[in-house]
Amino acid sequence: MGFEKLLIAAIAQNKKLYLVIGGAGAAVVCLGLAWRSLRSREKVRVGVVSQLLVHPLKSGKGISVALAECHHIGLKHGELMDRHWLVVKEDGHMVAGKQQPRQVLVALTSDGGRLFLNGPGMEELQMPLQQPHNPIMDCRVFGTDIQGRDCGDEAARWITRFLGGEIGYRLVHFEPHMEPRRSADQEALFSQDEKVAYPNVGPVMLLSEASVGDLNGKLQKDVTVERFRPNIVVSDCNAFEEDSWTELLIGDVRLHRVMSCGRCSFITVDPETGIISRKEPLDTLKGYRQCQPSEAEIYKKSPLFGQFFTVKKTGIIQVGDVVYRIGR
């Protein structure tokens, strides 16, 4: 029997086969490794993409889209990259949604090279998407330095008026030539080459409809998936099944799971009203979604809900795409 037939036969029988090369004392090759390699590339259907959400403005209103480009740094739809705009104080420090919960009501959209800001009770503000002559601001996001192109005084006045308060705010835009943040500076579980603009830590966050449904079964008032601000929502799977998905294939995009998303009081902001309760659904999640004791140093007491993924192969993701788990 030839070598190729021998290899195929061994793989077909799921057995280890040893081939002695070059006589006594020579190297030994375990063809069982080939079988395990083959098994590691198996595809198993685990769900379907039911929603894609892009949040151009960090802590702002999400945009539901039918198709998105999946880049190493996050999702993109049309002219808008996920979490590439940021509200900052005049000293450059970011303004988190739990500090100014009304940010969730701000819709940032674009069309034909124009940027649009909309919010309840406000007139729409239009501005150029690119403003290369505006100054670049040095900003701070979760204690890390990063730059942003100032979007101008009109945008600053609009944001300041909408959010209220006694201090001024500015809107900045992360541009491709700027240096992104290293995810590992925020969470050591990420590799040193993974980078993001203004997201908390990971470029893609995934959550299943079933997990939200499981939570709603424990709440007096249902919450929607938008409250948790994922990028990819998956249906046709069991609750929290996404916790075990290490490698995923969606269309031609390949994703690698790094860690769970530890939740804070931001999920107590109602995305429809911009009001923060600091209670639910956080309190309920704390009751049954704590990490394992061995992971307490990573997540502390934050309940886990959703999964952070990095992008190993870029491409297009569409609503309706089948989600495959790669390997066992």
Side-chain angles (χ1 to χ4, degrees):
M1 182 181 291
F3 177 80
E4 293 84 358
K5 291 183 179 179
L6 198 61
L7 174 58
I8 293 170
I11 290 176
Q13 295 176 41
N14 190 13
K15 294 180 179 178
K16 290 183 180 179
L17 177 62
Y18 295 90
L19 177 66
V20 178
I21 301 175
V28 176
V29 177
C30 178
L31 297 185
L33 293 175
W35 169 255
R36 287 195 291 275
S37 177
L38 183 65
R39 290 283 289 173
S40 72
R41 294 192 295 272
E42 281 186 342
K43 294 195 310 182
V44 178
R45 184 187 188 277
V46 292
V48 176
V49 176
S50 59
Q51 290 187 63
L52 292 170
L53 295 165
V54 177
H55 303 82
L57 173 65
K58 182 175 177 62
S59 299
K61 195 175 186 67
I63 302 171
S64 181
V65 301
L67 177 150
E69 302 171 29
C70 193
H71 296 261
H72 290 296
I73 203 169
L75 296 193
K76 181 181 182 183
H77 178 73
E79 301 171 305
L80 300 176
M81 286 288 301
D82 187 70
R83 295 169 171 92
H84 270 47
W85 280 263
L86 176 71
V87 176
V88 297
K89 299 175 183 177
E90 292 185 339
D91 63 4
H93 283 78
M94 79 167 188
V95 180
K98 57 188 176 183
Q99 297 169 327
Q100 281 287 355
R102 277 173 54 83
Q103 275 193 84
V104 301
L105 304 177
V106 178
L108 188 152
T109 57
S110 74
D111 184 50
R114 301 286 295 175
L115 203 65
F116 305 91
L117 281 177
N118 282 281
M122 299 289 289
E123 290 188 11
E124 180 179 79
L125 178 66
Q126 298 186 26
M127 70 193 89
L129 181 66
Q130 304 295 336
Q131 302 187 64
H133 300 297
N134 285 3
I136 292 176
M137 289 187 66
D138 293 322
C139 305
R140 293 281 287 179
V141 175
F142 295 111
T144 304
D145 292 331
I146 190 170
Q147 293 182 320
R149 176 81 64 182
D150 188 89
C151 292
D153 291 340
E154 281 191 271
R157 285 191 291 268
W158 193 100
I159 289 288
T160 299
R161 180 184 171 194
F162 182 75
L163 295 181
E166 299 179 355
I167 64 173
Y169 299 105
R170 303 202 71 87
L171 180 67
V172 298
H173 175 211
F174 181 84
E175 297 177 339
H177 63 87
M178 296 175 178
E179 182 64 28
R181 295 160 49 236
R182 289 192 308 174
S183 297
D185 290 342
Q186 190 72 23
E187 293 290 352
L189 292 176
F190 284 84
S191 65
Q192 291 294 322
D193 60 345
E194 297 294 346
K195 296 181 179 181
V196 292
Y198 303 138
N200 285 25
V201 62
V204 174
M205 207 273 278
L206 181 148
L207 180 64
S208 73
E209 289 183 357
S211 297
V212 179
D214 184 88
L215 172 62
N216 281 332
K218 298 173 172 60
L219 297 173
Q220 292 184 347
K221 182 181 178 181
D222 285 359
V223 294
T224 63
V225 71
E226 287 80 10
R227 184 177 289 242
F228 305 100
R229 310 179 67 77
N231 298 114
I232 302 173
V233 183
V234 178
S235 63
D236 201 20
C237 65
N238 295 324
F240 307 113
E241 193 175 341
E242 64 267 31
D243 295 1
S244 65
W245 297 341
T246 302
E247 300 283 340
L248 294 180
L249 183 67
I250 308 175
D252 54 356
V253 172
R254 188 155 179 164
L255 303 174
H256 173 74
R257 178 190 172 276
V258 178
M259 64 183 298
S260 299
C261 180
R263 297 298 183 163
C264 66
S265 61
F266 190 30
I267 65 169
T268 70
V269 177
D270 188 328
E272 298 299 320
T273 65
I275 295 173
I276 187 169
S277 71
R278 303 192 184 278
K279 288 288 186 180
E280 295 293 2
L282 185 62
D283 286 353
T284 295
L285 280 175
K286 284 180 177 179
Y288 79 114
R289 286 292 296 169
Q290 293 291 337
C291 68
Q292 295 297 320
S294 61
E295 299 176 312
E297 188 175 339
I298 301 170
Y299 299 109
K300 308 297 188 291
K301 295 183 178 181
S302 298
L304 311 182
F305 204 67
Q307 302 295 322
F308 283 120
F309 284 79
T310 56
V311 181
K312 296 305 178 184
K313 184 175 182 295
T314 62
I316 303 295
I317 296 180
Q318 301 184 61
V319 170
D321 278 348
V322 175
V323 180
Y324 294 99
R325 186 186 75 232
I326 304 297
R328 298 186 183 184

